[in-house]
Amino acid sequence: MTDDNAASALYEILNDVRSSKRQQIGEAWADVLDCKVGTSEFAQRHAEVVNLFRRVHSFVNAMPEGTQRDIYLRYAPAWHAGVVPRGNWDSPQNPPAKVISQSNLDQLGGVMQVLSITSADDFTDEAQDALVRGLKEWKDLLDEAGLPPGISEQVRSQVAHIEWLLANVSLFGSEPVVRESRNLIGLGVEVLQLVPVKARKVGAAMAYIVYMLGLVHAGIDHTAGILEGLNEVSAQIEVITDNPPELSAESNEEIVDAEFEEDPPGESDLDTSD
């Protein structure tokens, strides 16, 4: 994977929009994010670009005195305006070239040189494989009947967004992948509460995600908290069912501490029957 940081990712995206041959800003953004403006999918993906700006601004704001902090902060509004262009996105009077000036973009390039975050490199092939397998487990589960439509669509949308972030991890880095994977764990806990009969299969899908979070540096500190939450849900399930699923504290510890030391769980390692 390439050595990217938030500033270089934001620079690349704004440069792609600015250099677009399209007549309208909206068309340029649609090409860059590979979905139509005005859709829920576009809003979700564009929010990731806004998050890149937030990360860049936070970094610049935290720079020590005596550096170019104050200079860069003067350009921050221009970078924000590039991400969230003012005016009509559908008007030929606002072509993509007007999104941001070359000089303002060059200043962002300066931050790109200063900022040395290699979050994409933290996302190892092993972590990526575990996440892919976990997302596949989720999609297989969603193809079955039994999940309430509302939560099913939430999970399906979350899985699709994580897949897009994973496909673009060299650009956005691992931070949004980890963040949205944690959110998927939260949805999994909700599914366990709503449909405890699916606990085994949901637990298998969640196990891969928890393992991935333990591999990625940004998620290590949160793994214990995630497992604690799963144990609490397991205790609730045990109260309301005559045949509680095997999602106890002991089984969770085995998942992350024993079985995953050699390989992520395969089909033979976890019972995914109802």
Side-chain angles (χ1 to χ4, degrees), residues 26-56:
E27 293 175 336
W29 272 106
D31 286 345
V32 169
L33 296 182
D34 194 28
C35 57
K36 291 182 62 176
V37 176
T39 63
S40 175
E41 187 176 32
F42 180 87
Q44 191 176 41
R45 294 183 181 184
H46 187 263
E48 295 295 348
V49 184
V50 175
N51 187 53
L52 284 176
F53 167 78
R54 180 193 61 77
R55 289 162 61 190
V56 171

Side-chain angles (χ1 to χ4, degrees), residues 3-16:
D3 179 5
D4 285 294
N5 56 49
S8 64
L10 187 60
Y11 179 96
E12 183 176 335
I13 291 171
L14 290 179
N15 188 56
D16 285 347

Side-chain angles (χ1 to χ4, degrees), residues 33-274:
L33 296 182
D34 194 28
C35 57
K36 291 182 62 176
V37 176
T39 63
S40 175
E41 187 176 32
F42 180 87
Q44 191 176 41
R45 294 183 181 184
H46 187 263
E48 295 295 348
V49 184
V50 175
N51 187 53
L52 284 176
F53 167 78
R54 180 193 61 77
R55 289 162 61 190
V56 171
H57 188 276
S58 295
F59 170 78
V60 172
N61 201 43
M63 291 174 68
E65 294 184 7
T67 63
Q68 290 188 288
R69 172 183 177 275
D70 292 338
I71 295 176
Y72 286 139
L73 284 177
R74 289 202 294 269
Y75 288 93
W79 304 334
H80 181 263
V83 175
V84 189
R86 299 172 178 82
N88 189 348
W89 285 30
D90 298 326
S91 172
Q93 302 303 316
N94 291 316
K98 290 187 176 181
V99 162
I100 189 171
S101 69
Q102 185 62 56
S103 60
N104 289 337
L105 192 60
D106 288 343
Q107 291 296 327
L108 180 59
V111 179
M112 177 179 66
Q113 297 300 319
V114 176
L115 182 57
S116 57
I117 296 177
T118 58
S119 59
D121 288 339
D122 295 333
F123 205 74
T124 64
D125 290 341
E126 186 181 3
Q128 187 169 190
D129 180 65
L131 179 56
V132 168
R133 294 172 73 177
L135 295 177
K136 182 182 183 302
E137 289 282 348
W138 271 116
K139 289 192 289 187
D140 289 345
L141 179 60
L142 290 170
D143 288 339
E144 301 175 2
L147 294 185
I151 189 66
S152 177
E153 287 308 308
Q154 288 184 57
V155 173
R156 193 179 302 278
S157 175
Q158 188 70 9
V159 167
H161 188 52
I162 294 174
E163 288 182 324
W164 179 77
L165 288 171
L166 187 58
N168 293 277
V169 69
S170 62
L171 179 62
F172 289 95
S174 63
E175 188 271 343
V177 177
V178 171
R179 182 193 69 232
E180 296 305 322
S181 295
R182 291 195 198 108
N183 291 340
L184 181 57
I185 289 291
L187 286 174
V189 171
E190 187 173 348
V191 172
L192 285 173
Q193 293 173 312
L194 292 173
V195 194
V197 70
K198 296 288 184 180
R200 289 178 183 268
K201 291 185 176 181
V202 174
M206 293 172 72
Y208 283 109
I209 309 298
V210 171
Y211 177 57
M212 181 277 295
L213 292 174
L215 289 174
V216 179
H217 177 71
I220 289 176
D221 294 339
H222 300 271
T223 305
I226 293 170
L227 294 177
E228 183 179 347
L230 295 182
N231 293 335
E232 182 177 345
V233 172
S234 176
Q236 295 176 15
I237 293 174
E238 188 172 354
V239 173
I240 63 176
T241 180
D242 294 330
N243 186 23
E246 296 179 4
L247 199 62
S248 64
E250 181 178 355
S251 62
N252 279 332
E253 290 173 0
E254 290 175 355
I255 287 176
V256 295
D257 294 333
E259 294 183 25
F260 289 173
E261 288 182 0
E262 298 180 357
D263 294 297
E267 293 181 0
S268 61
D269 299 317
L270 290 174
D271 182 359
T272 57
S273 61
D274 288 346

